[in-house]
Amino acid sequence: MYAVNLADGEGEVDVHLYYCDEEGAPLAPIGTFVLPLRDFDSGWLRRFWGQYQNDRDFRSAADDFYKIGNAVQHHDTVVIPVPGEGDQVVVAKPIAEAIWTLNAQGFRTKAACSGGAASRAYVTADHLPPELEAVAGSAGFRVSCGEIRVAVQMTQPRAAEAASAAFCRMLDDWSKGQLEAGSHYAGWQQALQSSNLIPLPTVRRATERSPEVRELIKRSLQGKARFQDFAKLRSGRDQYSRASVDDLLVSLNLESVPSAISSFPEADMRKALRWICRGLPEGLAMRKAAVDAVLTERARERSKRAAESEAAIEDAAK
C-alpha cells in the first residue's frame, strides 16, 4: 500500500495475483494491477477473485481491463546512451531514433522511457524543441522544464499503454520531420476508464428478500444484530429447503462454494448457501448457520439430559 494520507483515503494498493497449489500457497505470479485506496474493498476483491478463477470470459475481460500479465512493451527495443547522465537505457526503437536526433541537434538528453501499461513514457533533456513541446502539450502529455511525460494514474493501465504508444509515435514522427498536430496523438485519452473497478456479474436471485431478512440486514448495518435476532429468523419451507449444494450454486450463479464457507461442515455449508439465496449477505449467512449450529447442539444436550433423567427415574422406581 502506497499512501500520501491514509486518513483521507489517498494512495494506491497493488493487487498481486498468483497461481496457487491446492492448499492456497502461491506458486507463480499471474500479474499485478493497482486500485485507488478509496476504491479498495476486500469483499469486492473476494468476489473478483472468485469470478477470475471460475469464469473464463470474465478472466479475459479482466486481463484486458487491468492489462494483467501485459506489463511488457510489445516494441523492439534497443540500448542507447543518454549523455546527460552518462548511463544507458533500454527503450523502444521510436524513442531511440528521437533521442539520437535530439542529441545530434544539441538537445542533450538525460533520461528516457518507452512506458507501457505498468510504467510511464517520458523523455528528459536540458531543453527540448519548442514545436515538440507545443504538440505534446496539446496531445495531453505533461510538459515542464525540458521534460515530456505521460501523466496517467497507475490505476489506468489501458490508458497508460495507449498514451505510451502515442508518445512513441509522436517522437518518431518528430525525428522523421513528420510531426502532426497535437490532436493526431490525443486519441489515447479515449482509453481512460470512468471507473477503476471492473463491473462484477450480479448475483441472480430467484426471490425477493423477506421482511425478516431485510430487518436483520438493517439491524446488522446499525451494529444491533444479536444472537437472538439470528435465532428467531425463520424461512419456512421454500425452494431452497431441500436443494443440493450444486443446485444452490446454480441459483447463485457461482462455479464453486465461496472459500469462506467451504471449510464448514456440509450441513452448515448448505444452510449458509440457502440463506445467501434468500438474500442474506455472505457474512450474515455464515453467522446464521453458526447460530443454528449452536441451537441444534443445545437442543441435543437438552434431549440427552431429559433422556438421562427419565432413565434415572425409571431405575429408582424399580
Side-chain angles (χ1 to χ4, degrees), residues 132-143 148 163 166-167 170 180-189:
L132 180 58
E133 290 187 334
V135 168
S138 61
F141 303 128
R142 189 172 68 195
V143 180
I148 300 173
F167 177 90
M170 179 187 68
E180 302 276 356
S183 58
H184 181 76
Y185 309 103
W188 67 267
Q189 297 178 61

Side-chain angles (χ1 to χ4, degrees), residues 77-285:
T77 58
V78 294
V79 179
I80 62 170
V82 283
E85 298 295 334
D87 294 327
Q88 292 184 326
V89 294
V90 178
V91 293
K93 280 187 177 180
I95 294 281
E97 294 287 348
I99 289 176
W100 287 326
T101 303
L102 285 167
N103 292 335
Q105 294 185 12
F107 300 97
R108 193 176 67 148
T109 56
K110 296 180 178 180
C113 177
S114 306
S119 61
R120 301 297 174 262
Y122 66 89
V123 62
T124 303
D126 289 338
H127 61 288
L128 291 168
E131 72 276 10
L132 180 58
E133 290 187 334
V135 168
S138 61
F141 303 128
R142 189 172 68 195
V143 180
S144 64
C145 302
E147 179 181 81
I148 300 173
R149 177 178 293 271
V150 170
V152 180
Q153 293 180 339
M154 295 296 290
T155 56
Q156 293 277 339
R158 294 175 68 183
E161 187 175 65
S164 294
F167 177 90
C168 291
R169 190 168 64 252
M170 179 187 68
L171 287 186
D172 189 40
D173 288 349
W174 174 83
S175 68
K176 295 175 180 177
Q178 300 172 356
L179 188 64
E180 302 276 356
S183 58
H184 181 76
Y185 309 103
W188 67 267
Q189 297 178 61
Q190 297 178 8
L192 288 167
Q193 297 160 174
S194 59
S195 173
N196 296 299
L197 301 179
I198 186 173
L200 298 181
T202 57
V203 175
R204 177 170 55 87
R205 300 191 184 279
T207 57
E208 293 292 329
R209 287 171 170 154
S210 67
E212 293 78 12
V213 166
R214 291 199 300 270
E215 178 62 23
L216 180 58
I217 293 173
K218 179 180 177 180
R219 291 184 64 81
S220 175
L221 292 173
Q222 295 171 342
K224 298 179 180 179
R226 300 292 183 261
F227 183 94
Q228 290 302 324
D229 296 314
F230 288 91
K232 69 181 183 181
L233 180 62
R234 294 288 184 266
S235 65
R237 290 290 176 183
D238 59 18
Q239 66 267 43
Y240 305 118
S241 298
R242 295 187 177 276
S244 66
V245 169
D246 288 341
D247 290 339
L248 293 169
L249 292 176
V250 169
S251 296
L252 293 169
N253 196 26
L254 295 176
E255 293 288 334
S256 60
V257 177
S259 58
I261 301 175
S262 61
S263 60
F264 279 21
E266 185 171 352
D268 294 341
M269 180 196 304
R270 288 179 60 240
K271 184 166 291 186
L273 289 173
R274 286 200 297 269
W275 281 107
I276 295 175
C277 287
R278 292 165 183 148
L280 279 184
E282 182 180 308
L284 296 186

